[in-house]
PDB file of all heavy atoms in Angstrom:
ATOM      1  N   LEU A  25     -13.004 -22.814  17.029  1.00  0.00           N
ATOM      2  CA  LEU A  25     -14.199 -23.237  17.595  1.00  0.00           C
ATOM      3  C   LEU A  25     -15.013 -22.134  18.089  1.00  0.00           C
ATOM      4  O   LEU A  25     -14.512 -21.298  18.874  1.00  0.00           O
ATOM      5  CB  LEU A  25     -13.900 -24.209  18.771  1.00  0.00           C
ATOM      6  CG  LEU A  25     -15.042 -24.857  19.479  1.00  0.00           C
ATOM      7  CD1 LEU A  25     -15.841 -25.752  18.504  1.00  0.00           C
ATOM      8  CD2 LEU A  25     -14.580 -25.653  20.643  1.00  0.00           C
ATOM      9  N   VAL A  26     -16.236 -21.919  17.662  1.00  0.00           N
ATOM     10  CA  VAL A  26     -16.964 -20.735  17.969  1.00  0.00           C
ATOM     11  C   VAL A  26     -17.526 -20.963  19.405  1.00  0.00           C
ATOM     12  O   VAL A  26     -18.235 -21.927  19.617  1.00  0.00           O
ATOM     13  CB  VAL A  26     -18.232 -20.499  17.017  1.00  0.00           C
ATOM     14  CG1 VAL A  26     -19.026 -19.298  17.535  1.00  0.00           C
ATOM     15  CG2 VAL A  26     -17.692 -20.195  15.635  1.00  0.00           C
ATOM     16  N   VAL A  27     -17.152 -20.069  20.306  1.00  0.00           N
ATOM     17  CA  VAL A  27     -17.551 -20.121  21.732  1.00  0.00           C
ATOM     18  C   VAL A  27     -18.216 -18.833  22.066  1.00  0.00           C
ATOM     19  O   VAL A  27     -17.621 -17.810  21.866  1.00  0.00           O
ATOM     20  CB  VAL A  27     -16.357 -20.417  22.666  1.00  0.00           C
ATOM     21  CG1 VAL A  27     -16.872 -20.429  24.113  1.00  0.00           C
ATOM     22  CG2 VAL A  27     -15.733 -21.696  22.302  1.00  0.00           C
ATOM     23  N   GLY A  28     -19.489 -18.873  22.411  1.00  0.00           N
ATOM     24  CA  GLY A  28     -20.156 -17.632  22.919  1.00  0.00           C
ATOM     25  C   GLY A  28     -20.581 -16.813  21.635  1.00  0.00           C
ATOM     26  O   GLY A  28     -20.860 -15.567  21.739  1.00  0.00           O
ATOM     27  N   GLY A  29     -20.565 -17.535  20.407  1.00  0.00           N
ATOM     28  CA  GLY A  29     -21.117 -16.802  19.236  1.00  0.00           C
ATOM     29  C   GLY A  29     -20.185 -15.799  18.572  1.00  0.00           C
ATOM     30  O   GLY A  29     -20.582 -14.983  17.865  1.00  0.00           O
ATOM     31  N   HIS A  30     -18.933 -15.713  18.946  1.00  0.00           N
ATOM     32  CA  HIS A  30     -18.005 -14.783  18.322  1.00  0.00           C
ATOM     33  C   HIS A  30     -16.906 -15.402  17.597  1.00  0.00           C
ATOM     34  O   HIS A  30     -15.912 -15.851  18.098  1.00  0.00           O
ATOM     35  CB  HIS A  30     -17.365 -13.968  19.489  1.00  0.00           C
ATOM     36  CG  HIS A  30     -18.368 -13.143  20.241  1.00  0.00           C
ATOM     37  ND1 HIS A  30     -18.913 -12.011  19.706  1.00  0.00           N
ATOM     38  CD2 HIS A  30     -18.831 -13.366  21.496  1.00  0.00           C
ATOM     39  CE1 HIS A  30     -19.864 -11.554  20.631  1.00  0.00           C
ATOM     40  NE2 HIS A  30     -19.700 -12.340  21.745  1.00  0.00           N
ATOM     41  N   PRO A  31     -17.136 -15.618  16.203  1.00  0.00           N
ATOM     42  CA  PRO A  31     -16.000 -16.266  15.403  1.00  0.00           C
ATOM     43  C   PRO A  31     -14.842 -15.275  15.314  1.00  0.00           C
ATOM     44  O   PRO A  31     -14.994 -14.109  15.551  1.00  0.00           O
ATOM     45  CB  PRO A  31     -16.667 -16.493  14.139  1.00  0.00           C
ATOM     46  CG  PRO A  31     -17.722 -15.442  14.026  1.00  0.00           C
ATOM     47  CD  PRO A  31     -18.233 -15.214  15.451  1.00  0.00           C
ATOM     48  N   PRO A  32     -13.611 -15.845  15.203  1.00  0.00           N
ATOM     49  CA  PRO A  32     -12.398 -14.985  14.932  1.00  0.00           C
ATOM     50  C   PRO A  32     -12.494 -14.250  13.581  1.00  0.00           C
ATOM     51  O   PRO A  32     -13.407 -14.505  12.793  1.00  0.00           O
ATOM     52  CB  PRO A  32     -11.308 -16.016  14.951  1.00  0.00           C
ATOM     53  CG  PRO A  32     -11.853 -17.253  14.440  1.00  0.00           C
ATOM     54  CD  PRO A  32     -13.307 -17.283  14.935  1.00  0.00           C
ATOM     55  N   LEU A  33     -11.544 -13.296  13.456  1.00  0.00           N
ATOM     56  CA  LEU A  33     -11.435 -12.524  12.256  1.00  0.00           C
ATOM     57  C   LEU A  33     -11.146 -13.557  11.050  1.00  0.00           C
ATOM     58  O   LEU A  33     -10.381 -14.416  11.193  1.00  0.00           O
ATOM     59  CB  LEU A  33     -10.456 -11.472  12.310  1.00  0.00           C
ATOM     60  CG  LEU A  33     -10.690 -10.371  13.326  1.00  0.00           C
ATOM     61  CD1 LEU A  33      -9.456  -9.511  13.442  1.00  0.00           C
ATOM     62  CD2 LEU A  33     -11.894  -9.626  13.053  1.00  0.00           C
ATOM     63  N   SER A  34     -11.750 -13.176   9.835  1.00  0.00           N
ATOM     64  CA  SER A  34     -11.370 -13.980   8.615  1.00  0.00           C
ATOM     65  C   SER A  34      -9.946 -13.629   8.278  1.00  0.00           C
ATOM     66  O   SER A  34      -9.396 -12.610   8.657  1.00  0.00           O
ATOM     67  CB  SER A  34     -12.339 -13.615   7.580  1.00  0.00           C
ATOM     68  OG  SER A  34     -11.962 -12.226   7.106  1.00  0.00           O
ATOM     69  N   PRO A  35      -9.278 -14.506   7.419  1.00  0.00           N
ATOM     70  CA  PRO A  35      -7.974 -14.111   6.940  1.00  0.00           C
ATOM     71  C   PRO A  35      -7.903 -12.782   6.197  1.00  0.00           C
ATOM     72  O   PRO A  35      -6.926 -12.110   6.334  1.00  0.00           O
ATOM     73  CB  PRO A  35      -7.666 -15.251   5.958  1.00  0.00           C
ATOM     74  CG  PRO A  35      -8.485 -16.417   6.487  1.00  0.00           C
ATOM     75  CD  PRO A  35      -9.717 -15.697   7.015  1.00  0.00           C
ATOM     76  N   GLN A  36      -8.955 -12.370   5.525  1.00  0.00           N
ATOM     77  CA  GLN A  36      -9.098 -11.104   4.816  1.00  0.00           C
ATOM     78  C   GLN A  36      -9.023  -9.961   5.817  1.00  0.00           C
ATOM     79  O   GLN A  36      -8.282  -8.977   5.769  1.00  0.00           O
ATOM     80  CB  GLN A  36     -10.249 -10.927   3.949  1.00  0.00           C
ATOM     81  CG  GLN A  36     -10.356  -9.556   3.224  1.00  0.00           C
ATOM     82  CD  GLN A  36      -9.160  -9.461   2.232  1.00  0.00           C
ATOM     83  OE1 GLN A  36      -9.025 -10.258   1.358  1.00  0.00           O
ATOM     84  NE2 GLN A  36      -8.425  -8.406   2.413  1.00  0.00           N
ATOM     85  N   GLU A  37      -9.856 -10.066   6.951  1.00  0.00           N
ATOM     86  CA  GLU A  37      -9.850  -9.160   7.970  1.00  0.00           C
ATOM     87  C   GLU A  37      -8.586  -9.000   8.710  1.00  0.00           C
ATOM     88  O   GLU A  37      -8.161  -7.897   9.059  1.00  0.00           O
ATOM     89  CB  GLU A  37     -10.989  -9.416   9.024  1.00  0.00           C
ATOM     90  CG  GLU A  37     -12.395  -9.255   8.396  1.00  0.00           C
ATOM     91  CD  GLU A  37     -13.504  -9.836   9.337  1.00  0.00           C
ATOM     92  OE1 GLU A  37     -13.213 -10.924   9.899  1.00  0.00           O
ATOM     93  OE2 GLU A  37     -14.572  -9.182   9.435  1.00  0.00           O
ATOM     94  N   GLN A  38      -7.917 -10.120   8.917  1.00  0.00           N
ATOM     95  CA  GLN A  38      -6.619 -10.188   9.573  1.00  0.00           C
ATOM     96  C   GLN A  38      -5.579  -9.363   8.725  1.00  0.00           C
ATOM     97  O   GLN A  38      -4.674  -8.612   9.186  1.00  0.00           O
ATOM     98  CB  GLN A  38      -6.092 -11.566   9.827  1.00  0.00           C
ATOM     99  CG  GLN A  38      -6.886 -12.258  10.994  1.00  0.00           C
ATOM    100  CD  GLN A  38      -6.540 -13.635  11.074  1.00  0.00           C
ATOM    101  OE1 GLN A  38      -5.645 -13.923  11.847  1.00  0.00           O
ATOM    102  NE2 GLN A  38      -7.096 -14.585  10.412  1.00  0.00           N
ATOM    103  N   ALA A  39      -5.585  -9.724   7.410  1.00  0.00           N
ATOM    104  CA  ALA A  39      -4.721  -9.068   6.468  1.00  0.00           C
ATOM    105  C   ALA A  39      -4.927  -7.579   6.430  1.00  0.00           C
ATOM    106  O   ALA A  39      -3.896  -6.822   6.365  1.00  0.00           O
ATOM    107  CB  ALA A  39      -4.811  -9.628   5.035  1.00  0.00           C
ATOM    108  N   ASN A  40      -6.159  -7.169   6.365  1.00  0.00           N
ATOM    109  CA  ASN A  40      -6.521  -5.729   6.344  1.00  0.00           C
ATOM    110  C   ASN A  40      -5.935  -5.049   7.568  1.00  0.00           C
ATOM    111  O   ASN A  40      -5.369  -3.940   7.462  1.00  0.00           O
ATOM    112  CB  ASN A  40      -8.039  -5.429   6.246  1.00  0.00           C
ATOM    113  CG  ASN A  40      -8.518  -5.871   5.030  1.00  0.00           C
ATOM    114  OD1 ASN A  40      -7.862  -6.165   3.931  1.00  0.00           O
ATOM    115  ND2 ASN A  40      -9.815  -5.900   4.896  1.00  0.00           N
ATOM    116  N   ARG A  41      -6.009  -5.586   8.706  1.00  0.00           N
ATOM    117  CA  ARG A  41      -5.555  -5.042  10.008  1.00  0.00           C
ATOM    118  C   ARG A  41      -3.963  -5.008   9.874  1.00  0.00           C
ATOM    119  O   ARG A  41      -3.402  -4.045  10.326  1.00  0.00           O
ATOM    120  CB  ARG A  41      -5.948  -5.811  11.195  1.00  0.00           C
ATOM    121  CG  ARG A  41      -7.402  -5.587  11.596  1.00  0.00           C
ATOM    122  CD  ARG A  41      -7.726  -6.229  12.903  1.00  0.00           C
ATOM    123  NE  ARG A  41      -9.032  -5.948  13.255  1.00  0.00           N
ATOM    124  CZ  ARG A  41      -9.577  -6.193  14.383  1.00  0.00           C
ATOM    125  NH1 ARG A  41      -8.965  -6.832  15.389  1.00  0.00           N
ATOM    126  NH2 ARG A  41     -10.847  -5.799  14.691  1.00  0.00           N
ATOM    127  N   ALA A  42      -3.378  -6.070   9.377  1.00  0.00           N
ATOM    128  CA  ALA A  42      -1.852  -6.011   9.310  1.00  0.00           C
ATOM    129  C   ALA A  42      -1.412  -4.988   8.370  1.00  0.00           C
ATOM    130  O   ALA A  42      -0.385  -4.316   8.625  1.00  0.00           O
ATOM    131  CB  ALA A  42      -1.404  -7.418   8.853  1.00  0.00           C
ATOM    132  N   TRP A  43      -2.048  -4.795   7.282  1.00  0.00           N
ATOM    133  CA  TRP A  43      -1.794  -3.680   6.268  1.00  0.00           C
ATOM    134  C   TRP A  43      -1.904  -2.361   6.908  1.00  0.00           C
ATOM    135  O   TRP A  43      -1.053  -1.389   6.828  1.00  0.00           O
ATOM    136  CB  TRP A  43      -2.470  -3.721   5.021  1.00  0.00           C
ATOM    137  CG  TRP A  43      -1.879  -4.716   4.027  1.00  0.00           C
ATOM    138  CD1 TRP A  43      -2.345  -5.944   3.644  1.00  0.00           C
ATOM    139  CD2 TRP A  43      -0.711  -4.545   3.358  1.00  0.00           C
ATOM    140  NE1 TRP A  43      -1.486  -6.457   2.770  1.00  0.00           N
ATOM    141  CE2 TRP A  43      -0.495  -5.714   2.550  1.00  0.00           C
ATOM    142  CE3 TRP A  43       0.329  -3.548   3.280  1.00  0.00           C
ATOM    143  CZ2 TRP A  43       0.591  -5.823   1.713  1.00  0.00           C
ATOM    144  CZ3 TRP A  43       1.299  -3.721   2.432  1.00  0.00           C
ATOM    145  CH2 TRP A  43       1.428  -4.890   1.646  1.00  0.00           C
ATOM    146  N   ALA A  44      -2.977  -2.102   7.776  1.00  0.00           N
ATOM    147  CA  ALA A  44      -3.192  -0.981   8.506  1.00  0.00           C
ATOM    148  C   ALA A  44      -2.110  -0.524   9.490  1.00  0.00           C
ATOM    149  O   ALA A  44      -1.580   0.573   9.593  1.00  0.00           O
ATOM    150  CB  ALA A  44      -4.612  -0.920   9.176  1.00  0.00           C
TER     151      ALA A  44
END
Side-chain angles (χ1 to χ4, degrees):
L25 177 65
V26 176
V27 178
H30 299 287
L33 297 175
S34 72
Q36 182 65 57
E37 291 168 320
Q38 292 178 86
N40 291 348
R41 283 188 177 189
W43 276 109

